[in-house]
Amino acid sequence: MDTPASPPPYDLLGVGIGPFNLSLAALAEPVPGLRTLFCDQRPEFRWHHGMLVDGARMQVPFLADLVSLVDPTNPWSFLNYLRDQERLFPFYFAERFQLPRREYDHYCRWAAERLANCRFGTEVTALHWAPTAEDGPCYRAELTDTATGRRSFVRARNLALGVGTRPVLPEAFAPLAGHPRAFHSADYLDRRADLTGARDVTVVGSGQSGAEVFLDLLRRHGDDGVRLRWLTRSRALAPMEYSKLGLEHFTPDYTRYFHSLPGPVRDTLVDAQWQLHKAASAETLAEIHDHLYERTIGRPIDTAPVEITPGTAVTDARPGPCGGLELRCRHTDSGAEHVLRTEAVVLATGYRAARPAALEPLAPLIDWDEAGRYRVDLDHRVATRPGLAGGLYVQNAELHTHGVGTPDLGLGAHRAAVILNAVTGRTVHRLPGRTAWTGFAPPPAPASTPFEQTPVLPRPQELTRAATVGR
């Protein structure tokens, strides 16, 4: 009896289904003849569920959906979602460019539940490089059904890692790991009830998450006497850069320029550009101020049990000897130290790219940089050692090589299209050549122009070419 033939390898296997791999799945789905599969261990799509606070809005326009900035005609666009939900007219009259965060999450779940190439409840537990004579150069992926524990195997010619980032617990807070009243803002809605009864609550971190948590606590504790405190090591609660030309740092043009820079320069820039991608929105900061202003009408502002203290770093945190928590703090400018006693801490201390455990069998075949990070080319393909010929692509793990636009949803569809074009070896999605008015790279110097002569200014397309030097 003939044995059934094994299915052909997938052209692309996605590990993890967050917004970025979901964008890749949505753009890949209509491509004729392209076999793709995207797996996630969770039973359903969930996006920052702990921060879907009432009133929280996206920091990018609705066009930063899964597909529109590459293919607005794609059936998985946000506007098509509104049509399916019969909400086009309400959205039209709302006249809001930024979506409620809850609606963006619902839109992504709508797409994830309908895309045939997305499989939830399936964990990719191991990845091996296993070429065969029948299938040629291929990965072999072990899949585990999270409900039954049943294992299966698939083969794929290319991988796309989209496992997202993990919450960061600063070293100073390590002694509070597992404490019922000390947790990361990623779990805020799930753990907010743990703050019940606390008369003194401290929020640490000045980014958007910290601002949203602090504002939510202000709204929930009007005149009940609960002391709310907001600490940040940043010297000022500066708003996120949101000018139109400033936003051009989130374009493919800037990504190409950033990628061309030496590694040490890139690392310095990422830290220096915190206001482009880590600060809170001016709108949220204004809401906090408005709330405090109205809350103190008719009384001195120092009667409100609220403290906002920038320029203060927490150097150590421990359970207090008489209950509660003790935070040892240092004032950045003066160097003065003090001990702060509080009953609960919410850590809005950011996220960091994570390496999935399934990748460990491939780790010896990856060409890591000096800091143990991926080396990533402009097509978002990871550099590998001789012997591994399959494409290995990453999404939201290349901040050090591609700059501040890496975690930005506005570049998600473009990056997915770049990966698809690279995987297929052809132009599946036509991408624009110039996307910014700003020329980030210096103009190329003429070969033999005397210093006294006026230099010839480059045309815009020449600036774009200059930005790709060092690719």
Side-chain angles (χ1 to χ4, degrees), residues 13 67 78 84 112 165-166 230 244 321 376 428:
L13 171 66
V67 296
F78 177 73
D84 180 78
T165 54
R166 293 176 184 167
W230 191 12
K244 292 179 180 179
V376 190
V428 174

Side-chain angles (χ1 to χ4, degrees), residues 19-21 161 164-165 249-252 254-256 258-259 266 270 273 276-277 352-353 374 376-377 380 394-416:
F20 294 134
N21 258 1
L161 303 181
T165 54
H249 287 83
F250 299 94
T251 59
Y254 184 75
T255 298
R256 288 190 291 267
F258 184 90
H259 191 273
R266 294 196 301 243
V270 168
Q273 293 173 336
L276 285 170
H277 65 119
R352 182 180 296 124
Y374 302 112
V376 190
D377 70 12
H380 304 277
V394 290
Q395 302 219 61
N396 200 11
E398 68 277 27
L399 180 67
H400 59 291
T401 57
H402 288 64
V404 294
T406 296
D408 190 78
L409 292 172
L411 279 173
H414 185 276
R415 173 172 50 201

Side-chain angles (χ1 to χ4, degrees), residues 211 215 239 280-293:
L215 178 59
S281 71
E283 291 77 12
T284 307
L285 295 176
E287 285 187 63
I288 290 172
H289 190 277
D290 291 347
H291 183 94
L292 292 173
Y293 182 86

Side-chain angles (χ1 to χ4, degrees), residues 240-459:
M240 180 173 288
E241 165 61 51
Y242 209 75
S243 67
K244 292 179 180 179
L245 287 177
L247 288 175
E248 291 196 340
H249 287 83
F250 299 94
T251 59
D253 281 15
Y254 184 75
T255 298
R256 288 190 291 267
Y257 163 71
F258 184 90
H259 191 273
S260 73
L261 298 171
V265 176
R266 294 196 301 243
D267 289 342
T268 300
L269 270 178
V270 168
D271 292 336
Q273 293 173 336
W274 64 271
Q275 208 168 340
L276 285 170
H277 65 119
K278 288 186 176 180
S281 71
E283 291 77 12
T284 307
L285 295 176
E287 285 187 63
I288 290 172
H289 190 277
D290 291 347
H291 183 94
L292 292 173
Y293 182 86
E294 294 188 21
R295 181 173 174 171
T296 54
I297 290 175
R299 52 180 173 160
I301 64 173
D302 60 2
T303 60
V306 174
E307 299 175 22
I308 301 176
T309 312
T312 301
V314 178
T315 58
D316 189 47
R318 298 183 182 277
C322 301
L325 307 171
E326 286 190 353
L327 311 183
R328 182 170 295 279
C329 304
R330 178 185 297 118
H331 188 254
T332 304
D333 291 338
S334 67
E337 296 188 351
H338 67 279
V339 174
L340 184 155
R341 291 176 176 83
T342 187
E343 294 181 36
V345 174
V346 181
L347 299 170
T349 46
Y351 300 81
R352 182 180 296 124
R355 185 195 304 182
L359 196 64
E360 289 309 309
L362 295 176
L365 297 175
I366 295 174
D367 184 19
W368 307 100
D369 73 4
E370 296 80 3
R373 302 170 298 189
Y374 302 112
R375 300 182 194 271
V376 190
D377 70 12
L378 271 176
D379 288 338
H380 304 277
R381 180 169 176 164
V382 172
T384 56
R385 300 189 181 279
L388 200 163
L392 174 61
Y393 299 86
V394 290
Q395 302 219 61
N396 200 11
E398 68 277 27
L399 180 67
H400 59 291
T401 57
H402 288 64
V404 294
T406 296
D408 190 78
L409 292 172
L411 279 173
H414 185 276
R415 173 172 50 201
V418 168
I419 292 174
L420 278 177
N421 288 349
V423 166
T424 60
R426 56 190 174 90
T427 304
V428 174
H429 295 287
R430 183 171 59 87
L431 299 174
R434 181 74 184 266
T435 54
W437 298 109
T438 308
F440 299 101
S448 59
T449 302
F451 179 78
E452 295 79 9
Q453 293 185 8
T454 302
V456 178
L457 294 177
R459 296 188 299 275

Side-chain angles (χ1 to χ4, degrees), residues 9-95:
Y10 287 99
D11 297 300
L12 179 65
L13 171 66
V15 182
I17 308 176
F20 294 134
N21 258 1
L22 187 59
S23 174
L24 188 55
L27 287 171
E29 194 245 8
V31 179
L34 188 68
R35 298 188 72 246
T36 62
L37 175 67
F38 294 81
C39 299
D40 196 293
Q41 63 182 338
R42 298 169 300 177
E44 61 182 1
F45 182 92
R46 301 186 79 185
W47 178 75
H48 291 305
H49 58 278
M51 283 302 299
L52 299 182
V53 180
D54 288 343
R57 307 191 72 80
M58 302 292 290
Q59 291 180 281
V60 292
F62 73 91
L63 286 174
D65 64 11
L66 300 173
V67 296
S68 288
L69 287 175
V70 167
D71 179 12
T73 66
N74 187 289
W76 307 110
S77 71
F78 177 73
L79 288 178
N80 200 42
Y81 156 81
L82 289 178
R83 178 177 179 272
D84 180 78
Q85 301 287 302
E86 299 184 358
R87 286 173 59 85
L88 272 170
F89 273 94
F91 179 75
Y92 170 63
F93 291 123
E95 294 186 345

